[in-house]
Amino acid sequence: MLVVTQISNPNITLKSARLRIWRGTSLENGRYEEFDVAFEDGDSVLDGLVRLRYSVAPDLAFQFSCFNANVCKECVMMIDGKADYACIAKLKTGLTQLDPIPEQRVLRDLLVDTQECDRRGATLRHQILSIR
Amino acid sequence: MEVPSVLRTNVLVVGGGAAGMFAAIYAARHGAQVILLDKNTVGRGGATVMAQMTCASALGEIEADSPELHLRDTLDAGRGLCNEKLATLLCDGSPQLIRELVSWNVDWARQHNGKINQVTAPGHSRKRCVYVDYLRTGAAICEALRLQVSRDSGIRVLNNVCVTDIVTRGGELIGAVGFDIATSGLLIVQANAVILCSGGMMKMFQRTTAPNNNSGDGLGMALRAGAQLIDIEFLQFYPNGHLAPRMVGLDPTTWEPTRVKLGGRLINGEGEEFLSKYDADGGEGYTTTRDLLTHAIYREVAAGRGSPHGGVYLSFQHIPAAEIRRALGPVLDIFARNNIDLTKRPVEVFPIAHYQMGGIEVNARMETQIPGLYAAGEIVGGANGANRLSGNALPEAMVFGACAGERAGKSIKNKPVPSWPAHIGAPHLDIIRRVRERRKAKGQAPTHMLGELKEIMWKKVGAFRTADGLIEARKRISTMRHAELDELTIPPETIHNTSLVEWFELRSGLQAAEAVAVAGLNRRESRGAHQRLDFPETCDDYRTNQRIWLADGEISSSFKRCLS
């Protein structure tokens, strides 16, 4: 597993992904920012986001906890227009667009407010994602 | 000037994993009003939800067993340093809570005859570990506990709150302060009791299984409030952490139950099995406890016999494909998504930071030295001594959480919630204000310092330590703590400011990290999970426990045998 802060193995071929990420605190008031991130085949979108947070974009807001196991269900977002878990979706060369999930109040960047759903005990993230 | 929100309750539980949720349930059961909060979402954000397979409990459903036997195995694994009272509590209390979870609809895997299935795990002398299925044990426990918590009108749940300090008056706890992460708004919680269930500090290692929140918050808060840590140098490095190829969708610890269940072979870069060189019991290494496995793998790699990514191979190629499929079932599909075909190729594994054996010192009632301050779960030190048995972490969280909740709930009896004299919380709130309002020119962000700290801990305070490495680590961490932390840039966001949270994680995490470096330096021997390359023998003089506390902001320590 790659360490978060550096890619240190000289034997591995590195590729570059461009992430186009929605940023802002309300849908009316945001912009897209693009970042290039180095990756190894198999790395997840979440790996890329964490790598950005530990380097050039330390205040990029997204939610995650378990990092690898796809069990906390916190990292759901729109990836190229389709809802998915960032920890499972894989990085690819070329452009990948990341947006917050729709119809929820945006808190910041890729973070949405799920308190209402959490209070009702609903599993919004599970409803959006009928797979996995 | 902003007025803080003020909440009043009998019991504040900090951290919403198994320990925190059990603490809240049991405190409420004993009549307390409870606030249960978490930096993320209660019941989703910590380590419990990730737990795979093993939960040790001397139920005796498959073969004769007893809590006394479980205790003996725990004490053996702990290499002479267990707090025997805490270990006894863990072993005695586990069966009852497993059964309570049955009543809360946790569907433990069962035999055809209806008995709860129990399997063995390294270090256990009996088939003792229960599970829900191959992947979901932690998630199933969390789901059941979330439901119980949500049904209890005595428990108020708050998500996305960062508690920053315990507040005391005359040496007694009166509550805590922090901020609402969504708004950066200041928060005061006036309480009769606080139960710290915020988990371990293992996020502070570059290569770790820890979830993002386990940064040592509670350790720092406890130290600053005047409590003591015990045996904090004992941090567990899981031997078979997944290394390569990149695997997502499964926890990196998945290989231990897989290896044990199927009989995987550990092979070095030269194609040889090597465990028997290091373990007297050797055999095929299935009973080798974690510290010996970690040692063996590190040694092979250090000797230049590692795999391409710097680990060792774990191979299942000698096992018939049909047997692999039968044993692993749907997990194979997750492997396939990650281009892992166990019939064709081995994976690479290497030790990975995993769990904190040491921690806050408590008595058998989960009380710290500060009246009103309790701790439960991974954050507590002593139950598992120098090395934890596989499967003991879930019972530790559950049993200690229930115990702390019950004790805190009972101790409240008719006591009013303390009101705070004017301005008593001011120094603690001022720290949040100061950090929040910082508008520095571009400089280092908290994640940059976090990255450096994780690298220092991994390289110099990791599974194998030396005096030079520990001294360098301590020096650098001390500089970061005293001189650089206050120079970090915090962007001027009020809404969900992750840098603000990370600053406070560093404030406590640096204290915890320095404590580990100091403790590791002081313990001039190798025992269990603490391995010194310069002191490779276990030494009877050190069959004793080490306490750490803060004196004028500096890490201080002393050795004294824990009177169990």
Side-chain angles (χ1 to χ4, degrees):
Chain A
M1 161 172 18
L2 292 176
V3 298
V4 167
T5 52
Q6 61 186 90
I7 298 169
S8 57
N9 193 321
N11 299 323
I12 308 304
T13 317
L14 290 181
K15 299 181 176 177
S16 182
R18 175 155 293 186
L19 297 178
R20 187 170 143 86
I21 305 175
W22 192 88
R23 305 203 60 182
T25 52
S26 73
L27 286 175
E28 296 76 39
N29 210 357
R31 74 229 174 256
Y32 284 95
E33 286 184 16
E34 292 188 1
F35 300 93
D36 289 324
V37 63
F39 73 98
E40 187 184 334
D41 267 341
D43 286 353
S44 67
V45 168
L46 182 60
D47 287 339
L49 288 171
V50 173
R51 209 162 286 152
L52 289 177
R53 174 105 69 96
Y54 276 76
S55 58
V56 298
D59 55 346
L60 179 58
F62 53 94
Q63 189 88 309
F64 72 106
S65 180
C66 72
F67 193 75
N68 267 317
N70 186 30
V71 72
C72 74
K73 309 298 187 190
E74 303 259 327
C75 65
V76 66
M77 59 185 67
M78 300 302 277
I79 301 173
D80 286 335
K82 186 167 160 290
D84 205 350
Y85 297 112
C87 64
I88 287 194
K90 296 201 192 297
L91 285 173
K92 61 184 197 302
T93 51
L95 192 66
T96 298
Q97 181 162 315
L98 304 178
D99 290 278
I101 51 175
E103 289 164 29
Q104 301 304 309
R105 188 167 71 89
V106 169
L107 286 173
R108 193 152 74 83
D109 302 344
L110 299 167
L111 261 175
V112 299
D113 185 4
T114 56
Q115 297 295 333
E116 194 52 47
C117 293
D118 290 335
R119 260 200 293 279
R120 291 200 310 265
T123 52
L124 173 73
R125 292 184 174 97
H126 298 117
Q127 287 164 23
I128 283 180
L129 299 163
S130 56
I131 48 168
R132 297 172 188 146
Chain B
M1 167 134 54
E2 173 201 356
V3 174
S5 303
V6 178
L7 297 174
R8 290 166 58 75
T9 192
N10 296 130
V11 178
L12 170 64
V13 180
V14 179
M21 288 191 283
F22 261 106
I25 291 165
Y26 271 66
R29 190 177 287 179
H30 287 87
Q33 289 295 307
V34 181
I35 289 177
L36 170 61
L37 56 75
D38 197 277
K39 269 191 315 191
N40 259 18
T41 307
V42 164
R44 289 193 192 280
T48 306
V49 74
M50 302 187 320
Q52 293 188 240
M53 277 294 276
T54 48
C55 179
S57 188
L59 292 166
E61 299 259 299
I62 299 301
E63 63 176 326
D65 195 5
S66 69
E68 287 74 30
L69 285 173
H70 186 182
L71 174 66
R72 192 192 64 191
D73 293 341
T74 299
L75 296 180
D76 281 348
R79 306 282 193 260
L81 294 191
C82 288
N83 175 323
E84 209 165 310
K85 278 196 178 139
L86 290 179
T88 303
L89 189 66
L90 188 164
C91 298
D92 282 353
S94 183
Q96 182 196 326
L97 292 187
I98 298 299
R99 297 202 194 284
E100 184 157 30
L101 286 170
V102 171
S103 75
W104 294 342
N105 293 325
V106 171
D107 51 343
W108 301 112
R110 295 193 182 252
Q111 297 258 309
H112 292 307
N113 60 10
K115 287 191 180 286
I116 295 176
N117 198 23
Q118 296 191 265
V119 296
T120 192
H124 289 277
S125 59
R126 296 288 185 277
K127 291 180 181 170
R128 182 178 291 147
C129 296
V130 305
Y131 57 100
V132 170
D133 66 18
Y134 199 60
L135 293 173
R136 278 199 323 116
T137 299
I141 292 173
C142 280
E143 193 180 323
L145 289 175
R146 280 198 310 268
L147 192 56
Q148 288 305 304
V149 161
S150 71
R151 283 178 172 163
D152 195 324
S153 57
I155 302 174
R156 179 174 174 182
V157 169
L158 297 177
N159 297 318
N160 293 311
V161 173
C162 182
V163 176
T164 56
D165 271 304
I166 304 300
V167 180
T168 59
R169 177 197 180 190
E172 279 202 13
L173 179 140
I174 56 172
V177 302
F179 60 94
D180 173 25
I181 296 176
T183 62
S184 302
L186 300 175
L187 181 66
I188 285 174
V189 183
Q190 298 170 350
N192 301 96
V194 172
I195 309 178
L196 293 173
C197 301
S198 45
M201 60 176 286
M202 305 313 284
K203 173 184 178 171
M204 295 318 192
F205 288 83
Q206 201 170 41
R207 193 170 143 68
T208 182
T209 66
N212 190 48
N213 288 337
N214 285 31
S215 50
D217 295 344
L219 294 176
M221 282 194 263
L223 282 172
R224 293 192 296 274
Q228 292 186 342
L229 308 184
I230 188 162
D231 293 342
I232 194 62
E233 63 270 40
F234 291 99
L235 304 178
Q236 191 166 61
F237 292 81
Y238 206 96
N240 300 313
H242 183 77
L243 176 62
R246 185 74 178 99
M247 180 173 76
V248 295
L250 279 176
D251 192 76
T253 58
T254 198
W255 296 116
E256 174 159 316
T258 311
R259 185 180 77 93
V260 169
K261 190 172 179 181
L262 267 182
R265 296 164 62 214
L266 284 167
I267 298 171
N268 65 18
E270 290 167 7
E272 310 162 325
E273 292 196 66
F274 56 88
L275 279 181
S276 53
K277 284 192 277 190
Y278 300 98
D279 180 14
D281 292 328
E284 291 153 314
Y286 303 126
T287 55
T288 310
T289 50
R290 284 176 174 176
D291 49 353
L292 289 167
L293 261 181
T294 303
H295 173 75
I297 295 171
Y298 255 95
R299 280 294 184 229
E300 285 298 296
V301 175
R305 293 187 289 270
S307 64
H309 281 78
V312 296
Y313 291 111
L314 175 60
S315 170
F316 299 88
Q317 291 167 268
H318 56 290
I319 295 166
E323 197 180 321
I324 292 180
R325 180 152 277 281
R326 193 184 43 81
L328 298 182
V331 176
L332 282 178
D333 300 327
I334 301 179
F335 287 151
R337 277 207 286 271
N338 288 281
N339 293 317
I340 293 172
D341 181 346
L342 296 180
T343 61
K344 294 211 169 70
R345 273 178 301 278
V347 293
E348 294 179 57
V349 295
F350 192 72
I352 189 167
H354 182 52
Y355 166 90
Q356 177 190 294
M357 265 84 59
I360 299 177
E361 186 175 16
V362 297
N363 61 19
R365 292 177 298 281
M366 302 300 130
E367 295 165 334
T368 68
Q369 296 94 341
I370 312 296
L373 182 62
Y374 300 75
E378 185 180 352
I379 202 174
V380 164
N384 291 292
N387 183 52
R388 175 175 69 77
L389 276 182
S390 198
N392 265 9
L394 281 172
E396 176 184 53
M398 302 193 300
V399 173
F400 290 4
C403 177
E406 179 170 332
R407 294 304 316 176
K410 282 180 173 168
S411 76
I412 303 306
K413 274 284 177 274
N414 302 319
K415 273 194 213 158
V417 175
S419 13
W420 288 14
H423 306 306
I424 197 161
H428 307 288
L429 293 169
D430 282 346
I431 294 176
I432 305 173
R433 285 192 182 99
R434 183 170 53 78
V435 178
R436 203 179 53 178
E437 267 111 57
R438 186 178 301 154
R439 302 271 188 275
K440 295 186 84 65
K442 266 197 182 307
Q444 241 204 354
T447 46
H448 302 140
M449 185 180 280
L450 257 175
E452 186 188 346
L453 178 61
K454 283 153 75 81
E455 188 175 0
I456 291 171
M457 293 301 282
W458 177 248
K459 289 183 172 158
K460 301 190 175 159
V461 195
F464 288 91
R465 300 161 175 172
T466 63
D468 284 347
L470 291 167
I471 290 168
E472 278 167 31
R474 193 225 172 143
K475 193 153 166 275
R476 181 68 195 120
I477 292 167
S478 183
T479 303
M480 286 157 90
R481 195 156 78 80
H482 292 298
E484 294 178 12
L485 181 63
D486 276 342
E487 297 302 308
L488 293 177
T489 300
I490 309 288
E493 298 273 5
T494 48
I495 299 174
H496 211 111
N497 189 329
T498 50
S499 297
L500 185 63
V501 177
E502 283 154 354
W503 191 93
F504 281 93
E505 288 185 353
L506 279 165
R507 180 178 176 232
S508 287
L510 285 165
Q511 286 173 332
E514 192 177 338
V516 178
V518 168
L521 196 55
N522 292 345
R523 182 175 288 277
R524 293 187 191 89
E525 63 154 2
S526 289
R527 183 187 298 260
H530 169 72
Q531 296 285 316
R532 289 280 299 262
L533 292 174
D534 45 357
F535 293 98
E537 302 301 321
T538 303
C539 174
D540 261 355
D541 290 348
Y542 283 103
R543 197 184 165 92
T544 180
N545 306 102
Q546 182 172 192
R547 277 159 188 76
I548 294 272
W549 64 94
L550 276 182
D552 292 324
E554 290 308 321
I555 304 287
S556 307
S557 83
S558 78
F559 281 94
K560 191 171 114 180
R561 180 75 199 171
C562 182
L563 295 170
S564 322

